[in-house]
Amino acid sequence: ISLEADERVTSVLAMPKTVKEMQGLSLFMVTKQGTAKKVFAESFKDVRRSGLLAIKLAKGDELLSAIFVEKGDDIALATTKGQSIRFKESDIREMGRGAAGVRAMRLGKGDILIGADAVKKADAGGAALMVMSAGGYGKKTMIKEYKIQKRGGSGIKTAKVTAKTGNIISAKVITDVVDEMVVISKKGQVIRTDMNAIPSLGRQTQGVRIMKLREGDQIASWVCF
């Protein structure tokens, strides 16, 4: 795909091959400033080489993430200052590709969204929200601790952010089939950790040290499998 000078890829998704497989599937997009929209997956069945418009962004806003959702899923969002919200995917109606979207979460001053994931209906009982901070601290909190709210609210606390932990840089929904995680820092340090070694803690806690970082280093990204 051809990108503008100030553009970058934010998400890569595996697309179903047939229209039949796309039925009941929607593309859910969320921006850093808390705007979200949902579009039928069928709207992207024929994509030109130059790409298609997926969402109309407000000035100064950026697309954070795009995920596939189905009827009955919940959406979990988290911010860099440690707030989170969980709401039903049905709270956001289907829109056209050119629409700007609606408010998914109300953000505090200086706060931005850093994570968006789907909570599958079948996994809701045992799923957890895993958050990682820039300073190498992380934790799991059971999804059942996040009450279902209406979209557009300011949410509830998901992690205690301190000078030691640094801001939250990523959040993902994980299930009991996830065994390990790999974390990498901005200076190329890598660690591989058993997920069972990471405790399940309450929402108001800061978590435990996942990686000990060298001076001036921060967590860049992590993946679980």
Side-chain angles (χ1 to χ4, degrees), residues 60-73:
D61 204 357
E62 296 179 41
L63 181 65
L64 169 69
S65 180
I67 57 176
F68 282 127
V69 297
E70 298 174 283
K71 186 176 181 180
D73 289 351

Side-chain angles (χ1 to χ4, degrees), residues 84-110:
S84 64
I85 192 169
R86 176 186 176 189
F87 58 86
K88 295 180 179 296
E89 59 81 26
S90 57
D91 279 4
I92 297 180
R93 61 177 177 80
E94 303 288 344
M95 305 176 198
R97 290 188 296 101
V102 295
R103 186 191 296 276
M105 186 174 186
R106 188 179 300 277
L107 303 176
K109 186 177 180 180

Side-chain angles (χ1 to χ4, degrees), residues 31-52:
T31 74
K32 289 186 175 182
Q33 298 300 327
T35 296
K37 69 177 287 190
K38 192 172 66 174
V39 183
F40 285 121
E42 295 175 42
S43 301
F44 301 95
K45 65 180 184 298
D46 296 314
V47 180
R48 299 187 297 268
R49 189 175 182 84
S50 59
L52 291 173

Side-chain angles (χ1 to χ4, degrees), residues 76-80 83-85 105 112-116 129 131 158 168 171:
L77 306 178
T79 79
T80 191
Q83 288 292 108
S84 64
I85 192 169
M105 186 174 186
I112 59 171
L113 284 179
I114 47 78
L129 185 65
V131 297
T158 189
I168 306 300

Side-chain angles (χ1 to χ4, degrees), residues 65 122 144 176:
S65 180
K144 60 187 178 183
D176 54 11

